[in-house]
Amino acid sequence: MDTSTHRPILFGHTQCEPEQNNVCYCGSYDCLETHTSIPAILQQANNLLINYPDSFLHQQDISMDKICAGAILNDSLCVYLINKVAQQLAKPLALMVNLLGSQLILVNSPLNQDSDLFLKCLHKHINKLSIPLYSSTLVIEKSTFSIKDSETSLIQRALYNGSLLLQLLQG
């Protein structure tokens, strides 16, 4: 969080894998959100399912709840997906830790709903990429912000895609 404004710092639109050419709703390509959002994770699970014939996910419709439940059961695909998202998020977070000396990161994600696996993976990858002086005291916790507190991001999305302006013009 930016302490002068008390607003969350959003880095979901930083470019992460430039070769993939995934178009983001903001108009840019390969934003972090195109790889770590819920739809992106579900798509990755569907794409990788064929490579994991023993996966827990073959038995039901794929959802974030099922991925988290599978990770608790140590399902290799579910653990891989959670670790991959943590690895991708760790890059900009480690940069923030190195530049700003951040001591606390709050995570509001469906991936941390049932276990601490996601937070542990995230912490491990941030530690690899950041200066030990800063990362040694870093705390990563589940966010206690409600969905209502996250409405700012919905407003930002509406600004990006123009729907808010359209609503305002229509009255």
Side-chain angles (χ1 to χ4, degrees), residues 2-72:
D2 178 354
T3 57
S4 64
T5 62
H6 301 292
R7 292 184 298 176
I9 296 172
L10 301 174
F11 54 85
H13 296 285
T14 57
Q15 193 177 53
C16 74
E17 294 188 30
E19 300 89 39
Q20 306 238 343
N21 289 325
N22 294 317
V23 179
C24 183
Y25 65 84
C26 74
S28 188
Y29 291 91
D30 292 312
C31 292
L32 189 58
E33 283 202 22
T34 64
H35 299 278
T36 61
S37 66
I38 292 172
I41 296 167
L42 296 176
Q43 182 64 44
Q44 290 172 47
N46 278 313
N47 293 345
L48 293 170
L49 200 54
I50 195 164
N51 299 332
Y52 294 85
D54 296 333
S55 177
F56 167 79
L57 298 178
H58 280 287
Q59 302 168 9
Q60 56 233 309
D61 291 335
I62 297 174
S63 68
M64 293 306 291
D65 291 336
K66 302 297 184 206
I67 292 171
C68 291
I72 290 170

Coordinates of all heavy atoms in Angstrom, one line a residue, residues 2-72:
D2 N 0.4 2.2 -0.7 CA 1.1 3.5 -0.7 C 0.7 4.2 0.6 O -0.5 4.5 0.7 CB 0.7 4.3 -2.0 CG 1.3 5.7 -2.0 OD1 1.9 6.1 -1.1 OD2 1.1 6.3 -3.1
T3 N 1.6 4.5 1.5 CA 1.2 5.0 2.8 C 0.7 6.4 2.7 O 0.0 6.9 3.6 CB 2.4 4.9 3.8 OG1 3.5 5.6 3.2 CG2 2.8 3.5 4.1
S4 N 1.1 7.2 1.7 CA 0.6 8.6 1.6 C -0.8 8.7 1.1 O -1.5 9.6 1.5 CB 1.5 9.4 0.7 OG 1.4 8.9 -0.6
T5 N -1.3 7.7 0.4 CA -2.7 7.8 -0.1 C -3.6 6.6 0.4 O -4.8 6.7 0.3 CB -2.7 7.6 -1.7 OG1 -2.2 6.4 -2.0 CG2 -2.0 8.8 -2.3
H6 N -2.9 5.6 1.1 CA -3.6 4.5 1.6 C -4.4 3.7 0.5 O -5.5 3.2 0.8 CB -4.6 4.9 2.8 CG -3.8 5.5 3.9 ND1 -3.0 4.9 4.7 CD2 -3.8 6.8 4.3 CE1 -2.5 5.7 5.6 NE2 -3.0 6.9 5.4
R7 N -3.9 3.7 -0.7 CA -4.5 3.0 -1.8 C -3.6 1.8 -2.1 O -2.4 1.9 -2.0 CB -4.7 3.9 -3.0 CG -5.7 5.0 -2.9 CD -5.9 5.7 -4.1 NE -4.6 6.3 -4.5 CZ -4.3 7.0 -5.6 NH1 -5.3 7.1 -6.5 NH2 -3.2 7.5 -5.8
P8 N -4.3 0.7 -2.5 CA -3.4 -0.4 -2.9 C -2.6 -0.1 -4.1 O -3.1 0.6 -5.0 CB -4.4 -1.6 -3.2 CG -5.8 -0.9 -3.1 CD -5.7 0.4 -2.6
I9 N -1.4 -0.7 -4.2 CA -0.6 -0.6 -5.4 C -1.0 -1.7 -6.3 O -0.9 -2.9 -5.9 CB 0.9 -0.6 -5.0 CG1 1.2 0.6 -4.1 CG2 1.8 -0.7 -6.3 CD1 2.6 0.5 -3.5
L10 N -1.4 -1.4 -7.5 CA -1.8 -2.4 -8.5 C -0.7 -2.5 -9.6 O -0.3 -1.5 -10.2 CB -3.1 -2.0 -9.2 CG -4.3 -1.8 -8.2 CD1 -5.5 -1.2 -8.9 CD2 -4.6 -3.1 -7.5
F11 N -0.3 -3.7 -9.7 CA 0.8 -3.9 -10.7 C 0.3 -5.0 -11.7 O 1.1 -5.6 -12.5 CB 2.1 -4.3 -10.1 CG 2.0 -5.5 -9.2 CD1 2.1 -6.8 -9.6 CD2 1.8 -5.3 -7.8 CE1 2.0 -7.9 -8.8 CE2 1.7 -6.4 -7.0 CZ 1.8 -7.7 -7.5
G12 N -0.9 -5.3 -11.8 CA -1.5 -6.3 -12.7 C -1.3 -6.0 -14.2 O -1.5 -6.9 -15.0
H13 N -1.0 -4.8 -14.5 CA -0.8 -4.4 -15.9 C 0.6 -4.2 -16.3 O 0.9 -3.6 -17.3 CB -1.7 -3.2 -16.2 CG -3.1 -3.6 -16.1 ND1 -3.8 -4.4 -17.0 CD2 -4.0 -3.3 -15.1 CE1 -5.0 -4.5 -16.6 NE2 -5.2 -3.9 -15.4
T14 N 1.6 -4.8 -15.5 CA 3.0 -4.8 -15.9 C 3.1 -6.0 -16.8 O 2.5 -7.0 -16.7 CB 3.9 -4.9 -14.7 OG1 3.6 -6.1 -14.0 CG2 3.8 -3.7 -13.8
Q15 N 4.0 -5.8 -17.8 CA 4.2 -6.9 -18.8 C 5.0 -8.0 -18.2 O 6.0 -7.8 -17.5 CB 4.9 -6.3 -20.0 CG 4.9 -7.3 -21.2 CD 5.6 -6.6 -22.4 OE1 6.7 -6.2 -22.3 NE2 4.8 -6.6 -23.5
C16 N 4.6 -9.3 -18.4 CA 5.3 -10.4 -17.8 C 5.9 -11.4 -18.7 O 7.0 -11.8 -18.6 CB 4.5 -11.0 -16.7 SG 3.2 -12.1 -17.3
E17 N 5.2 -11.8 -19.8 CA 5.8 -12.7 -20.7 C 5.6 -12.2 -22.1 O 4.6 -12.5 -22.8 CB 5.2 -14.1 -20.5 CG 5.5 -14.7 -19.2 CD 5.1 -16.2 -19.0 OE1 5.0 -16.9 -20.0 OE2 4.8 -16.6 -17.9
P18 N 6.5 -11.4 -22.6 CA 6.3 -10.6 -23.8 C 6.1 -11.4 -25.1 O 5.6 -10.9 -26.1 CB 7.5 -9.7 -23.9 CG 8.5 -10.3 -23.0 CD 7.8 -11.1 -22.0
E19 N 6.5 -12.7 -25.1 CA 6.4 -13.4 -26.4 C 5.0 -14.0 -26.6 O 4.7 -14.5 -27.7 CB 7.4 -14.6 -26.4 CG 8.8 -14.2 -26.2 CD 9.3 -14.1 -24.8 OE1 8.9 -15.0 -24.0 OE2 10.0 -13.2 -24.5
Q20 N 4.1 -14.0 -25.7 CA 2.9 -14.7 -25.8 C 1.8 -14.0 -26.5 O 0.9 -14.6 -27.0 CB 2.4 -15.1 -24.4 CG 3.4 -15.9 -23.6 CD 3.0 -17.2 -23.1 OE1 1.8 -17.5 -23.1 NE2 3.9 -18.1 -22.8
N21 N 1.8 -12.7 -26.5 CA 0.8 -11.8 -27.2 C -0.6 -12.0 -26.8 O -1.5 -12.1 -27.6 CB 1.0 -12.0 -28.8 CG 2.2 -11.4 -29.3 OD1 2.7 -10.3 -28.8 ND2 2.8 -12.0 -30.3
N22 N -0.8 -12.2 -25.5 CA -2.1 -12.3 -24.9 C -2.6 -10.8 -24.7 O -2.0 -10.0 -24.0 CB -2.1 -13.0 -23.6 CG -1.8 -14.4 -23.7 OD1 -2.2 -15.1 -24.6 ND2 -0.9 -14.9 -22.8
V23 N -3.8 -10.5 -25.3 CA -4.3 -9.2 -25.2 C -5.1 -9.0 -23.9 O -5.9 -9.9 -23.5 CB -5.3 -8.9 -26.4 CG1 -5.9 -7.5 -26.3 CG2 -4.6 -9.0 -27.7
C24 N -4.8 -8.0 -23.2 CA -5.4 -7.7 -21.9 C -6.6 -6.7 -22.1 O -6.6 -6.0 -23.1 CB -4.4 -7.0 -21.0 SG -5.0 -6.7 -19.3
Y25 N -7.5 -6.7 -21.2 CA -8.7 -5.8 -21.4 C -8.3 -4.3 -21.3 O -9.0 -3.5 -21.8 CB -9.7 -6.1 -20.3 CG -9.3 -5.9 -18.9 CD1 -9.4 -4.6 -18.3 CD2 -8.9 -6.9 -18.1 CE1 -9.0 -4.4 -17.0 CE2 -8.5 -6.7 -16.8 CZ -8.6 -5.4 -16.2 OH -8.2 -5.2 -14.9
C26 N -7.1 -4.0 -20.8 CA -6.6 -2.6 -20.8 C -6.1 -2.2 -22.1 O -5.8 -1.0 -22.3 CB -5.5 -2.5 -19.7 SG -3.9 -3.2 -20.1
G27 N -5.9 -3.1 -23.1 CA -5.4 -2.8 -24.4 C -4.0 -3.2 -24.6 O -3.5 -3.2 -25.8
S28 N -3.3 -3.5 -23.6 CA -1.9 -3.8 -23.7 C -1.8 -5.3 -23.9 O -2.7 -6.1 -24.0 CB -1.1 -3.4 -22.4 OG 0.3 -3.6 -22.6
Y29 N -0.5 -5.8 -24.1 CA -0.3 -7.2 -24.3 C 0.5 -7.8 -23.1 O 1.4 -7.2 -22.6 CB 0.5 -7.4 -25.6 CG -0.3 -7.1 -26.8 CD1 -0.2 -5.8 -27.3 CD2 -1.0 -8.1 -27.4 CE1 -0.9 -5.5 -28.5 CE2 -1.8 -7.8 -28.6 CZ -1.7 -6.5 -29.1 OH -2.4 -6.2 -30.2
D30 N 0.2 -9.1 -22.8 CA 0.9 -9.9 -21.8 C 1.0 -9.2 -20.5 O 2.1 -9.4 -19.8 CB 2.3 -10.3 -22.4 CG 2.1 -11.2 -23.5 OD1 1.4 -12.2 -23.4 OD2 2.7 -11.0 -24.6
C31 N 0.0 -8.5 -20.0 CA -0.1 -8.0 -18.7 C -0.1 -9.2 -17.7 O -0.5 -10.3 -18.1 CB -1.3 -7.2 -18.4 SG -1.3 -5.6 -19.4
L32 N 0.4 -9.0 -16.5 CA 0.4 -10.0 -15.5 C -1.0 -10.6 -15.4 O -1.1 -11.8 -15.2 CB 0.9 -9.4 -14.2 CG 1.2 -10.3 -13.0 CD1 2.2 -11.3 -13.4 CD2 1.6 -9.5 -11.8
E33 N -2.0 -9.8 -15.5 CA -3.4 -10.3 -15.3 C -3.8 -11.3 -16.4 O -4.6 -12.2 -16.1 CB -4.4 -9.1 -15.3 CG -4.4 -8.4 -14.0 CD -5.7 -7.6 -13.8 OE1 -6.7 -8.0 -14.4 OE2 -5.7 -6.7 -13.0
T34 N -3.2 -11.2 -17.6 CA -3.5 -12.2 -18.6 C -2.9 -13.6 -18.3 O -3.3 -14.6 -18.9 CB -3.0 -11.8 -20.0 OG1 -1.6 -11.7 -20.0 CG2 -3.6 -10.4 -20.4
H35 N -2.1 -13.7 -17.3 CA -1.5 -15.0 -16.9 C -1.9 -15.4 -15.5 O -1.8 -16.6 -15.2 CB 0.1 -14.9 -17.0 CG 0.6 -14.5 -18.3 ND1 0.8 -15.5 -19.3 CD2 0.9 -13.3 -18.9 CE1 1.2 -14.9 -20.4 NE2 1.3 -13.6 -20.2
T36 N -2.3 -14.5 -14.7 CA -2.5 -14.9 -13.3 C -4.0 -14.6 -12.8 O -4.3 -14.9 -11.7 CB -1.6 -14.1 -12.3 OG1 -1.8 -12.7 -12.5 CG2 -0.1 -14.5 -12.6
S37 N -4.8 -14.2 -13.7 CA -6.2 -14.0 -13.3 C -6.9 -15.3 -13.2 O -6.4 -16.3 -13.7 CB -6.9 -13.1 -14.4 OG -7.0 -13.8 -15.6
I38 N -8.1 -15.3 -12.6 CA -8.8 -16.6 -12.5 C -9.1 -17.2 -13.8 O -8.9 -18.4 -14.0 CB -10.1 -16.4 -11.7 CG1 -9.8 -16.0 -10.2 CG2 -11.0 -17.6 -11.7 CD1 -10.9 -15.6 -9.4
P39 N -9.6 -16.5 -14.8 CA -9.9 -17.1 -16.1 C -8.6 -17.7 -16.8 O -8.6 -18.8 -17.4 CB -10.5 -16.0 -17.0 CG -11.0 -15.0 -16.1 CD -10.2 -15.1 -14.8
A40 N -7.5 -17.0 -16.6 CA -6.2 -17.5 -17.1 C -5.8 -18.8 -16.4 O -5.3 -19.7 -17.1 CB -5.1 -16.4 -17.0
I41 N -5.9 -18.8 -15.1 CA -5.5 -20.0 -14.4 C -6.4 -21.2 -14.8 O -5.9 -22.3 -15.0 CB -5.6 -19.8 -12.9 CG1 -4.6 -18.7 -12.4 CG2 -5.4 -21.1 -12.1 CD1 -4.8 -18.2 -11.0
L42 N -7.7 -21.0 -14.9 CA -8.6 -22.1 -15.3 C -8.3 -22.5 -16.7 O -8.3 -23.8 -17.0 CB -10.1 -21.6 -15.2 CG -10.6 -21.3 -13.8 CD1 -12.0 -20.7 -13.9 CD2 -10.5 -22.4 -12.9
Q43 N -7.9 -21.6 -17.6 CA -7.5 -22.0 -19.0 C -6.3 -22.8 -19.0 O -6.2 -23.8 -19.7 CB -7.4 -20.8 -19.9 CG -7.0 -21.1 -21.3 CD -8.2 -21.8 -22.0 OE1 -9.3 -21.5 -21.9 NE2 -7.8 -22.8 -22.7
Q44 N -5.3 -22.4 -18.2 CA -4.1 -23.2 -18.1 C -4.3 -24.6 -17.5 O -3.7 -25.6 -18.0 CB -3.1 -22.5 -17.1 CG -2.5 -21.2 -17.7 CD -1.7 -20.4 -16.6 OE1 -0.9 -21.0 -15.9 NE2 -1.9 -19.1 -16.5
A45 N -5.2 -24.7 -16.5 CA -5.6 -26.0 -16.0 C -6.2 -26.9 -17.1 O -5.8 -28.1 -17.2 CB -6.5 -25.8 -14.8
N46 N -7.1 -26.3 -17.9 CA -7.7 -27.1 -19.0 C -6.6 -27.5 -20.0 O -6.7 -28.6 -20.5 CB -8.8 -26.3 -19.7 CG -10.1 -26.3 -18.9 OD1 -10.5 -27.4 -18.5 ND2 -10.7 -25.2 -18.7
N47 N -5.7 -26.6 -20.3 CA -4.7 -26.9 -21.3 C -3.7 -28.0 -20.8 O -3.2 -28.8 -21.6 CB -3.9 -25.6 -21.7 CG -4.8 -24.6 -22.5 OD1 -5.9 -25.0 -22.9 ND2 -4.3 -23.4 -22.5
L48 N -3.4 -28.0 -19.6 CA -2.4 -28.9 -19.0 C -3.0 -30.2 -18.5 O -2.2 -31.1 -18.2 CB -1.7 -28.2 -17.8 CG -0.8 -27.0 -18.2 CD1 -0.3 -26.3 -17.0 CD2 0.4 -27.5 -19.1
L49 N -4.3 -30.3 -18.4 CA -4.9 -31.5 -17.9 C -4.5 -32.8 -18.6 O -4.3 -33.8 -18.0 CB -6.4 -31.3 -17.9 CG -7.3 -32.2 -17.0 CD1 -6.8 -32.1 -15.6 CD2 -8.7 -31.8 -17.1
I50 N -4.3 -32.7 -19.9 CA -3.9 -33.9 -20.7 C -2.5 -34.4 -20.3 O -2.3 -35.6 -20.4 CB -3.9 -33.6 -22.2 CG1 -3.9 -34.9 -23.0 CG2 -2.8 -32.7 -22.6 CD1 -4.3 -34.7 -24.4
N51 N -1.7 -33.5 -19.8 CA -0.3 -33.9 -19.3 C -0.3 -34.5 -17.9 O 0.7 -35.0 -17.4 CB 0.6 -32.7 -19.3 CG 0.8 -32.2 -20.7 OD1 0.6 -32.9 -21.7 ND2 1.1 -30.9 -20.8
Y52 N -1.5 -34.5 -17.2 CA -1.6 -35.0 -15.8 C -2.8 -35.9 -15.7 O -3.8 -35.6 -15.2 CB -1.8 -33.8 -14.9 CG -0.6 -32.9 -14.8 CD1 -0.4 -31.8 -15.7 CD2 0.3 -33.0 -13.8 CE1 0.7 -31.0 -15.6 CE2 1.4 -32.2 -13.7 CZ 1.6 -31.1 -14.6 OH 2.7 -30.3 -14.5
P53 N -2.6 -37.1 -16.3 CA -3.7 -38.1 -16.3 C -4.2 -38.5 -14.9 O -5.4 -38.9 -14.8 CB -3.1 -39.3 -17.1 CG -1.7 -39.2 -17.0 CD -1.4 -37.7 -16.8
D54 N -3.4 -38.4 -13.9 CA -3.9 -38.8 -12.6 C -4.4 -37.6 -11.7 O -4.7 -37.8 -10.5 CB -2.7 -39.4 -11.8 CG -2.2 -40.7 -12.4 OD1 -3.1 -41.4 -13.1 OD2 -1.0 -41.1 -12.3
S55 N -4.6 -36.5 -12.4 CA -5.0 -35.3 -11.6 C -6.4 -35.4 -11.1 O -7.3 -36.0 -11.7 CB -4.9 -34.1 -12.5 OG -5.4 -32.9 -11.8
F56 N -6.6 -34.9 -9.9 CA -7.8 -34.8 -9.2 C -8.9 -34.0 -10.1 O -10.1 -34.2 -10.0 CB -7.5 -34.0 -7.9 CG -8.7 -33.5 -7.1 CD1 -9.4 -34.3 -6.3 CD2 -9.0 -32.1 -7.2 CE1 -10.5 -33.8 -5.6 CE2 -10.0 -31.6 -6.4 CZ -10.8 -32.5 -5.6
L57 N -8.4 -33.1 -10.9 CA -9.3 -32.3 -11.7 C -10.0 -33.0 -12.8 O -11.0 -32.5 -13.4 CB -8.5 -31.1 -12.3 CG -7.8 -30.2 -11.3 CD1 -7.1 -29.1 -12.0 CD2 -8.9 -29.5 -10.4
H58 N -9.6 -34.2 -13.2 CA -10.3 -35.0 -14.2 C -11.7 -35.4 -13.7 O -12.5 -35.7 -14.5 CB -9.5 -36.3 -14.6 CG -8.4 -36.0 -15.5 ND1 -8.6 -35.8 -16.8 CD2 -7.0 -36.0 -15.3 CE1 -7.4 -35.6 -17.4 NE2 -6.5 -35.7 -16.5
Q59 N -11.9 -35.5 -12.4 CA -13.1 -36.0 -11.9 C -14.2 -35.0 -11.8 O -15.4 -35.4 -11.4 CB -12.8 -36.6 -10.5 CG -11.7 -37.6 -10.5 CD -11.3 -38.0 -9.1 OE1 -11.8 -37.5 -8.1 NE2 -10.2 -38.8 -9.0
Q60 N -14.0 -33.8 -12.1 CA -15.1 -32.8 -11.9 C -14.8 -31.5 -12.8 O -13.8 -31.5 -13.4 CB -15.1 -32.3 -10.5 CG -13.8 -31.8 -9.9 CD -13.5 -32.6 -8.6 OE1 -14.3 -32.6 -7.8 NE2 -12.3 -33.1 -8.5
D61 N -15.7 -30.6 -12.8 CA -15.5 -29.4 -13.5 C -14.4 -28.6 -12.8 O -14.3 -28.6 -11.6 CB -16.8 -28.5 -13.5 CG -17.9 -29.1 -14.3 OD1 -17.6 -29.8 -15.2 OD2 -19.1 -28.8 -14.0
I62 N -13.6 -28.0 -13.6 CA -12.4 -27.2 -13.0 C -12.9 -25.9 -12.5 O -13.6 -25.1 -13.2 CB -11.3 -27.1 -14.1 CG1 -10.8 -28.4 -14.5 CG2 -10.2 -26.2 -13.6 CD1 -9.8 -28.4 -15.7
S63 N -12.5 -25.6 -11.3 CA -12.8 -24.3 -10.7 C -11.7 -24.0 -9.7 O -10.8 -24.8 -9.4 CB -14.1 -24.4 -9.9 OG -14.0 -25.2 -8.7
M64 N -11.6 -22.7 -9.3 CA -10.6 -22.3 -8.3 C -10.7 -23.1 -7.0 O -9.7 -23.5 -6.4 CB -10.7 -20.8 -8.0 CG -10.3 -20.0 -9.2 SD -8.7 -20.3 -10.0 CE -7.6 -19.8 -8.7
D65 N -11.9 -23.4 -6.6 CA -12.1 -24.2 -5.4 C -11.5 -25.6 -5.6 O -10.9 -26.1 -4.7 CB -13.6 -24.3 -5.1 CG -14.2 -23.0 -4.6 OD1 -13.5 -22.2 -4.1 OD2 -15.4 -22.9 -4.7
K66 N -11.7 -26.2 -6.8 CA -11.2 -27.5 -7.0 C -9.7 -27.5 -7.1 O -9.0 -28.5 -6.7 CB -11.8 -28.1 -8.3 CG -13.3 -28.2 -8.3 CD -13.8 -29.1 -7.3 CE -15.3 -29.2 -7.4 NZ -16.1 -29.5 -6.2
I67 N -9.1 -26.5 -7.7 CA -7.7 -26.4 -7.8 C -7.1 -26.3 -6.4 O -6.1 -27.0 -6.0 CB -7.2 -25.2 -8.6 CG1 -7.6 -25.5 -10.1 CG2 -5.7 -24.9 -8.5 CD1 -7.4 -24.3 -11.1
C68 N -7.7 -25.5 -5.5 CA -7.2 -25.4 -4.1 C -7.4 -26.7 -3.4 O -6.5 -27.1 -2.6 CB -7.9 -24.2 -3.4 SG -7.5 -22.6 -4.0
A69 N -8.5 -27.3 -3.6 CA -8.7 -28.6 -2.9 C -7.7 -29.7 -3.4 O -7.2 -30.4 -2.6 CB -10.2 -29.1 -3.2
G70 N -7.4 -29.6 -4.7 CA -6.4 -30.6 -5.2 C -5.1 -30.3 -4.7 O -4.3 -31.2 -4.4
A71 N -4.7 -29.0 -4.5 CA -3.4 -28.7 -3.9 C -3.3 -29.2 -2.5 O -2.2 -29.7 -2.1 CB -3.2 -27.2 -4.0
I72 N -4.3 -29.1 -1.7 CA -4.3 -29.7 -0.4 C -4.1 -31.2 -0.4 O -3.4 -31.7 0.4 CB -5.6 -29.3 0.4 CG1 -5.7 -27.8 0.6 CG2 -5.8 -30.1 1.7 CD1 -7.0 -27.3 1.1

